[in-house]
Amino acid sequence: MRKTEYKNRRRKFLIIFIGILSVVLAAEIGYIALLYNRDNSSSPDSVNKDMGLNTPSYQTDTEDTSAMTPAPATKPANTSEKPVQQSDNIKEQINSMSLDEKIGQLVIVGLDGYEADEHARQMIEEYRVGGFILFTSNIQNSNQMLELLNSLKNINRANKVPLFLSVDEEGGRVSRLPDEFLKIPSNQIIGKLNNSSVSHQVGSIIGEELKSFGMNMDFAPVLDINSNPKNPIIGDRAFGTGPNLVSKLGVQTMKGLQSQNIIPVVKHFPGHGDTSTDSHVGLPKVDNDLKRLRNFELKPFARAIENGAEAVMVAHILLPEIDPDNPASFSKTIINDVLRLEMNYDGVVITDDFTMGAIVKNYNIGQAAVKSILAGGDIVLVCHDFEKQKAVISALKDAAQSGQLPMDRIDRSVIRILRLKQEHKITDTPASTVDPESINKKISALLK
């Protein structure tokens, strides 16, 4: 009886011991597998797959896009923003800024006439705007233009942050500078030359022109591919009809501008070349999917980003295959998921002008501006109409105060803006004199 009881106890002990040992071994194996999966998933490719993104190469080594391996046509998943790099002094500056000062940095505006009028003064003193853009309606001659820019700087000197002073100076038919300057050839002409050195010189000369006036930003170069003969707005503004040529020459013009400490704003992301509607008049609709964009329109922008693009202008184009509800200029799919996450871009994103027909004929301008910042944009461009400018600023502030536009989202944009202004050492110091003759000699030499 005792021997049988001893055997039963021994059998129970062995069963319990084996059970405990099995549990421990299973836990160890699971922990090792967890470590293995974590380590392998930390690579960029694995992370992108988890987010529903891919990592296309955007190669531009050949114009024959049919020979390229097609990228998946899937839409990227909506994901959160990446962290924004910032220095300690920017962090301190952000913490010291009021809501009005932060909201103001999210807007660049235009002005009426040849002088800094009361509306311009109000935009600086009350609304703390981040910058101004000039058009031919603001420019009579070199002396007047210089005086206008210096007066804007003088008004802004009481503010903490210097102004972006910008213009559309592309060369060809899109030129705002005074008639004292010779005109730069169009991108189409530069494209036919197909000379990287000439393209770089064009950017450098334009940069020198703008720098002589004390400007610091140019909405150029155009990186659109002129692929649609019926396009009413791009045409000779493009370097050519293929991604390789546009990439090569566009990047060189961008670098030429940067060589003069002018910020280039490459445009019009994700590509305005295949539209048949002028976005100044209406809302263009393009039925290309993401696969097509990756293999064609996005290539020049990808090359520019690889080469240090600092600012990107996003177009008012509706791409129903990618985002059926929002134009690119306030589409989270286009701005955050494609441009920032997939293309790894952490620079400043600026919209095209919100007073264009594409916006004002189809959307509430204030609500659209809020959606643009929520989508990952940084600056809303409002080129005309003082009331519309106030409406955009008011909508952004109201959205911030209600919580619709989180302060973290605002701060990310302000960090990028301050970082760019600091990197270019932008100040409100007035410029002194302009010498068109010396620059015209360089333009003449370019044209020979």
Side-chain angles (χ1 to χ4, degrees), residues 408-420:
D408 177 63
R409 172 77 280 282
I410 294 170
D411 285 351
R412 286 172 183 266
S413 289
V414 178
I415 288 166
R416 293 191 186 103
I417 293 162
L418 296 181
R419 186 178 65 193
L420 184 58

Side-chain angles (χ1 to χ4, degrees), residues 331-371:
S331 165
K332 184 179 180 184
T333 305
I334 296 293
I335 298 174
N336 184 67
D337 302 348
V338 175
L339 178 57
R340 293 212 182 278
L341 294 177
E342 184 175 300
M343 300 180 73
N344 198 31
Y345 176 71
D346 189 39
V348 170
V349 171
I350 307 176
T351 71
D352 208 340
D353 175 22
F354 258 49
T355 62
M356 290 163 63
I359 299 299
V360 296
K361 290 182 180 179
N362 298 283
Y363 305 97
N364 175 284
I365 193 171
Q367 294 173 4
V370 172
K371 292 183 74 172

Side-chain angles (χ1 to χ4, degrees), residues 8 22 75 86-87 113 126 131 178 234 316 329 344 380 414 417 435:
N8 288 338
S22 300
K75 298 178 183 180
Q86 60 176 311
S87 61
E126 181 177 346
I234 301 302
H316 305 313
S329 52
N344 198 31
V380 178
V414 178
I417 293 162
D435 183 10

